[in-house]
Amino acid sequence: MTQSDFTAGNGEEQPRPMTTAGHDGTATTGPITDGVPAAGDAPPADEAGDPSEAGAASTPGAQRRILVVEDDPTILDAISVRLTAEGFLVQTASDGPAAVDAAGGFQPDVMVLDVMLPGFDGLEVCRRVQAQRPVPVLMLTARDDETDMLVGLGVGADDYMTKPFSMRELVARTHALLRRVERAAAAATAPRPGGVRLGDLEIDRAQRRVRAGGKDVHLTPTEFDLLMRLARSPRAVLTREQLLADVWDWADASGTRTVDSHVKALRRKIGAERIRTVHGVGYALEAAPGTTVIADGS
């Protein structure tokens, strides 16, 4: 599904009809809300995706659990239908308290979480859920405000998308989150020794711990992976696209702002001077001559 972004003369977004081919070849028309189809609309054929892309999620008896939290019933139903079609086991909630309760009982592998919710907002949901059990979170927001995004990342969200969004991209990002979780689980059972020391910045790969200036720094799993990727090539400039592919496990130009936001969040924790921006290209982890890279193994 392509991203729908349209405005009326008064500057407000207005829905417009979408025409798709029906099963008999005739065209059917239905409304679009925030870039996702109305409940019951089948995904277009070009978005059905490769069945192998779902991986373990499409394997009977190995379904991944996804909790979708959204107060707009049309968007909630559309996301639920699409993820179910991808082979996921889906549970839904439409307000903050219900989302926290559902996360405790359902034990999701991934949570797709809207920011604006009744009861209490998605940021508070994320805080409470992460305090109980770490869960990868894909946050949905109606505002393309970087401050909001940084706050979301700060409370434990792994990724975010702004509305209107492509359903195809949401599915791709969900699969990528799951692949990263599987890699992290494998690394936890057989951690590779070694790490990196860049002046007073120390990265322990086996324990996934970071110290800066002699103090422990708490990083989210995504922030640690991003730092580790930069540290594997100190002083080398890595493009946003490279980082998106290596850390998030998917490549799409629309996701480069995700990289920018995570870099800003990381700078706040380890010091802005440690990561250099190369405008129009990407980022590099600063390292003085004599930087020691210890048995990284990668």
Side-chain angles (χ1 to χ4, degrees), residues 48-64 85-88 171-172 174-176 178-179 182 249:
D50 184 348
S52 64
E53 184 183 59
S58 62
T59 305
Q63 283 185 308
R64 295 296 190 179
E86 290 286 324
F88 295 111
V171 170
T174 301
H175 284 306
L178 285 168
R179 288 193 293 270
E182 290 166 358
D249 200 21

Side-chain angles (χ1 to χ4, degrees), residues 72-199:
D72 185 313
T74 300
I75 300 176
L76 182 66
D77 288 348
I79 295 174
S80 178
V81 167
R82 181 58 186 268
L83 292 177
T84 299
E86 290 286 324
F88 295 111
L89 186 62
V90 179
Q91 183 162 322
T92 63
S94 56
D95 61 57
V100 174
D101 289 344
F106 187 56
Q107 298 286 293
D109 296 297
V110 172
M111 184 161 57
V112 177
L113 176 63
D114 188 30
V115 172
M116 301 303 293
L117 296 170
F120 45 77
D121 64 19
L123 299 176
E124 183 61 23
V125 171
C126 194
R127 287 190 192 96
R128 297 192 186 192
V129 170
Q130 299 291 4
Q132 297 172 3
R133 167 179 168 266
V135 178
V137 174
L138 173 58
M139 193 160 275
L140 306 178
T141 175
R143 295 194 297 178
D144 193 11
D145 188 321
E146 191 167 58
T147 301
D148 289 346
M149 296 171 188
L150 288 173
V151 171
L153 298 177
V155 298
D158 294 85
D159 201 356
Y160 63 83
M161 296 180 66
T162 56
K163 301 176 183 177
F165 57 83
S166 160
M167 190 69 74
R168 189 174 195 175
E169 184 176 349
L170 183 144
V171 170
R173 293 202 189 192
T174 301
H175 284 306
L177 270 177
L178 285 168
R179 288 193 293 270
R180 286 164 51 205
V181 169
E182 290 166 358
R183 285 204 306 268
T189 57
R192 284 181 285 184
V196 179
R197 182 177 294 124
L198 301 95

